Structure formats: C-alpha cells, structure tokens
Amino acid sequence: MLRFGLCCLFKDETVTFRTTTVKALSTIPRDRQLLKLSEICLHNSCNLQRALETVHRLGIGAFRIMSPLFPRMTHPEAGYSLDDLPDGETISRVLEKSRLFALQQQIRLSFHPDQFVVLSSPHAAVVANSIQELEYQAMLAESVGADVINIHAGGVYGDKQAALQRFGAVYQSLSESVRLRLTLENDDVSYTPEDLLPLCEDHNIPLVYDVHHHRCNPDTLAVEEATELAAATWQTVGREQYCHISSPKSGWADGNPKPHADYIDPLDLPDCWLERTMTVDIEAKAKELAVVRLMKELRG
DNA sequence: GCATGTCAAGTTGTG
DNA sequence: CACAACTTGACATGC
C-alpha cells in the first residue's frame, strides 16, 4: 500500500504555525523573550496536534513537521530549552499526546532540516552548527515519535568523493538518536541516487528517493532501478521505504522544471510505485488539497 | 487596516 | 561580483 504524506503546511485548513526572529527577540529583555517563545511553542505544539487530527480526517498517512516548530531554539544568543519556558511542561504533555495519537492512527512523522544543515562542509563551524540542529530535531523526533530526519548531502566543493568522505566521517560521530533517524535524499543540483548509494550502503543510511529531483538531475539509473536500489537501503534496516514526488510548475517541455506545481500530475507518479509498500511525500503548493486530489484520482 | 520588506544559518549557478 | 533559488510564510514596520 502507498501511504501519502503532507509537507508541513495546510492551504485551506485553519492549522497554523507561528514563528519569530532573532531581531525581534533582541529588542526585549530575556524574561519577555522566554514568555513570547513559550506562547509560540505552545501554539505550535497544539497546532501540531490539530495537524495530525486533520491529516487523519483527510485519510493522509504521513506528515512532515516543519523545522522551526520551536523557532530559534539552537541559536547561539536567542537559543533556549523547553525547561526555560513558562509553559514547558504543558508543551511536553501536548507533544506526548501527539506521539500517542500518531502511533494509534499510524501517521508516519518526519523532519526535513533545511539547506543550512551541511555535514559535508569543509568548514568546521558549519558542521558544528549542523550537528547542533540535528540534535535539536532528534530531540523533537523522539518526543513525537518521528522515525525520519531527512537531509541532503550538501555541497560538492569541487570534489564529490572527498565531500562524501567527509559526510561519512561526520555521520559516524553523530549521536545514536540522530543516526537512528538520519536519511539521505538525492537533490536536484549535485548528488544523484547513483552518487549516494555507495555511501548509504557503507553506513546503512536509508536513501529517500526523490523522483522529481532525479528527473531534474539524472544519472545512468532508470526510475525503476533507482526505486529498487533505494528500497534495498530501507530493507537493510527493516523500515518502510520513503520517497518524494512533485510535478513541474511549467511542465517538462521548456523552461525550468525544478519549481513545484500546485498539484501532482498523476502521470508523474511512477507506475512501478503503485504496487509497492512505501510512504510518498507530496511536495505540492496546494498542500493538503494536492494530496487529497491525487489519492482521489488514483482510486477513481 | 493593509501593504511591504525582512528573516540565523550554506551552496550553487546565473546575470 | 552580486544576487536569486532552494521553500515559504508570518512577523514587524510603516503608511
């Protein structure tokens, strides 16, 4: 069975997530900062719970949680821990409620740290910040029961193999909480499935296969082959395969196919996926409307 | 009220 | 060399 996933946000539903900036925080004293952050984190925790209830109602089987659920938590100046927040205990209870709900309703949860998390960087400070961010997301993942923290391999710096080597070395140094969840995804600029598979196999890192990125940044593998080889990296660790799909905003014919369309063209969904058991995140601008429409089209 | 510029972080590719 | 694209809104500011 295919299980479809929604990424982070809703279009028509009333679920919202708040944030704040370091700049805004820097104008108020620490106690008011923590009060403000507490309100935002509580709001976001409650809306995570509402998000899970909503995807369950819509028949959606997976949800990607936005990285800044607790905004600026790892920032060197503005950073904080839940213990620092007036509503810290309430927030923890809400997260636990969400964990149980997701478990009960079998909603698979994931995280996707953004482009600033780069384990292959030659700059020690960049790697250190990336690790800190991964530790933060692993802490969150643990409290809500998310099994995937998915990242890209990062930059090339003129030598792909050297960069992948650095990635491997840093990977070995990560905490178990991060390593149990970390996955690698092929991107649309630098690293193809073929580039990543050896690294994945060496370290037992599951490969999240993004077929849209593969079509924008191809290698010698056909979609069917890449799907199979990626599936094997999940079988090794005894977990359900994870894939991503999107459709190009302005078609495949001309211009740049990378920007995402509002909805998924069912023709872009590989035929060889249909009979498989896996999670497929829908990366489409119309958010839950796109997931619901695709599921309806496949049934009809 | 509403419009608009801004927001922690990295890397690549384009103009 | 500067800047947009990744992905994307929500916030803060200013009219």
Side-chain angles (χ1 to χ4, degrees):
Chain A
M1 268 295 273
L2 285 185
R3 169 211 311 249
F4 289 105
L6 172 67
C7 300
C8 307
L9 300 167
F10 294 82
K11 186 150 176 82
D12 279 4
E13 300 288 335
T14 60
V15 177
T16 61
F17 295 98
R18 295 180 55 197
T19 187
T20 187
T21 62
V22 170
K23 199 179 164 94
L25 290 169
S26 68
T27 64
I28 56 178
R30 187 62 177 166
D31 57 333
R32 290 202 22 231
Q33 287 182 13
L34 294 173
L35 199 59
K36 181 189 174 95
L37 287 162
S38 191
E39 284 170 12
I40 293 174
C41 291
L42 183 59
H43 170 94
N44 290 355
S45 310
C46 293
N47 275 266
L48 173 62
Q49 173 63 26
R50 292 185 60 220
L52 300 184
E53 289 164 5
T54 305
V55 299
H56 180 246
R57 168 165 54 79
L58 296 174
I60 296 171
F63 185 66
R64 182 190 301 177
I65 301 172
M66 54 169 15
S67 301
L69 189 74
F70 297 155
R72 309 293 88 87
M73 191 175 236
T74 64
H75 187 270
E77 278 95 44
Y80 55 96
S81 72
L82 283 188
D83 294 339
D84 301 331
L85 304 181
D87 295 310
E89 284 185 28
T90 312
I91 292 165
S92 296
R93 276 202 299 275
V94 175
L95 293 181
E96 173 63 8
K97 184 179 168 193
S98 293
R99 187 183 70 79
L100 290 171
F101 183 83
L103 189 67
Q104 222 159 34
Q105 306 303 340
Q106 302 192 55
I107 301 168
R108 193 177 189 188
L109 300 178
S110 69
F111 286 89
H112 195 355
D114 53 17
Q115 65 267 37
F116 308 111
V117 172
V118 187
L119 297 185
S120 63
S121 177
H123 311 291
V126 172
V127 175
N129 288 342
S130 299
I131 292 172
Q132 202 186 3
E133 179 67 20
L134 288 176
E135 292 295 345
Y136 149 72
Q137 297 210 10
M139 175 276 293
L140 266 183
E142 207 155 317
S143 53
V144 298
D147 78 301
V148 166
I149 299 175
N150 179 44
I151 62 173
H152 293 288
V156 174
Y157 315 93
D159 187 342
K160 224 177 238 192
Q161 290 316 312
L164 290 175
Q165 190 105 30
R166 284 196 299 274
F167 186 104
V170 173
Y171 177 79
Q172 292 300 338
S173 78
L174 296 170
S175 74
E176 185 173 41
S177 182
V178 175
R179 259 186 297 124
L180 283 172
R181 297 177 172 86
L182 200 75
T183 64
L184 264 170
E185 177 189 347
N186 60 301
D187 64 76
D188 55 5
V189 181
S190 304
Y191 292 94
T192 65
E194 207 164 36
D195 292 328
L196 298 176
L197 278 163
L199 181 71
C200 289
E201 287 157 5
D202 283 351
H203 297 275
N204 290 335
I205 305 172
L207 178 67
V208 170
Y209 175 47
D210 187 315
V211 70
H212 183 70
H213 289 164
H214 195 207
R215 286 165 174 154
C216 294
N217 181 24
D219 50 25
T220 69
L221 298 173
V223 167
E224 295 75 17
E225 292 174 304
T227 302
E228 277 297 336
L229 291 167
T233 66
W234 291 90
Q235 279 152 18
T236 302
V237 292
R239 294 162 63 188
E240 180 177 314
Q241 185 174 14
Y242 218 117
C243 289
H244 291 175
I245 185 140
S246 27
S247 284
K249 189 184 181 69
S250 41
W252 290 107
D254 47 40
N256 182 2
K258 289 175 184 174
H260 295 169
D262 290 345
Y263 290 90
I264 302 297
D265 181 343
L267 294 176
D268 287 325
L269 190 75
D271 284 338
C272 67
W273 286 13
L274 293 174
E275 300 307 316
R276 303 184 74 96
T277 294
M278 59 181 183
T279 306
V280 180
D281 272 356
I282 305 294
E283 296 182 329
K285 300 223 173 244
K287 294 297 168 186
E288 84 278 12
L289 304 181
V291 184
V292 168
R293 183 188 286 188
L294 181 67
M295 292 193 301
K296 197 172 287 179
E297 282 168 339
L298 290 178
R299 273 201 309 272

